[in-house]
Amino acid sequence: MTEKEMDSFFIETLKKALSNMKDCLEYIKDEPGEIYDEIRDGYECEIQELSEIVGSINSIGDLAEKDEETIGAVFDYLEGYYDNFVISSDEKQQASDLKEYEKLSTLMDMFYDEEDEYDDEEE
């Protein structure tokens, strides 16, 4: 994948993660209870933060110029999307999903430090 393709996939993935958050918030919007109030507050904060991030970057390079807190937040959002990515059992969709998952894996690898991987192997 070229750098331009990776940048495009990166932004597209952030937008999908944002859309998923909005869907989750919509799903629980009418649920009563204090715990759901806290969950809704969490989603609203995350949606606002990720919306601002998506609006301020156009590439992985743009993200690299942000502070560590922003980079960490983007990693967390991507990781959540990656960890919850669903691969369809339908053959046609499954092939497409597997290709996207492979791209997601490549994207996630960009955030891992080789020293971290080495440290994990020692443990």
Side-chain angles (χ1 to χ4, degrees):
M1 193 170 358
T2 67
E3 185 176 327
K4 187 175 182 177
E5 290 171 330
M6 182 57 81
D7 285 338
S8 178
F9 180 74
F10 169 65
I11 298 300
E12 176 185 313
T13 302
L14 287 179
K15 289 178 180 179
K16 286 180 182 179
L18 180 59
S19 177
N20 284 350
M21 282 184 227
K22 289 177 180 179
D23 289 346
C24 290
L25 179 60
E26 179 66 24
Y27 184 76
I28 64 165
K29 74 176 183 178
D30 296 325
E31 293 294 326
E34 197 172 302
I35 189 75
Y36 283 106
D37 290 341
E38 290 177 24
I39 293 169
R40 278 188 288 274
D41 288 344
Y43 275 126
E44 288 169 357
C45 289
E46 289 178 351
I47 288 167
Q48 180 179 355
E49 180 179 44
L50 188 52
S51 294
E52 290 173 6
I53 292 169
V54 168
S56 70
I57 61 174
N58 295 309
S59 67
I60 295 168
D62 290 347
L63 176 64
E65 295 176 9
K66 298 289 185 181
D67 59 68
E68 286 185 35
E69 185 178 312
T70 302
I71 294 170
V74 167
F75 172 77
D76 290 342
Y77 295 135
L78 288 173
E79 186 175 48
Y81 182 77
Y82 179 74
D83 289 345
N84 294 297
F85 188 80
V86 176
I87 297 174
S88 177
S89 61
D90 176 68
E91 277 187 43
K92 289 182 180 180
Q93 185 60 45
Q94 186 178 56
S96 174
D97 290 347
L98 287 171
K99 285 180 184 178
E100 183 170 352
Y101 190 76
E102 186 177 321
K103 289 179 184 179
L104 280 170
S105 295
T106 301
L107 181 60
M108 293 304 297
D109 287 345
M110 296 176 73
F111 284 87
Y112 294 118
D113 185 359
E114 287 182 25
E115 289 181 19
D116 290 340
E117 290 176 21
Y118 180 75
D119 290 344
D120 289 345
E121 289 174 6
E122 288 180 348
E123 295 174 4

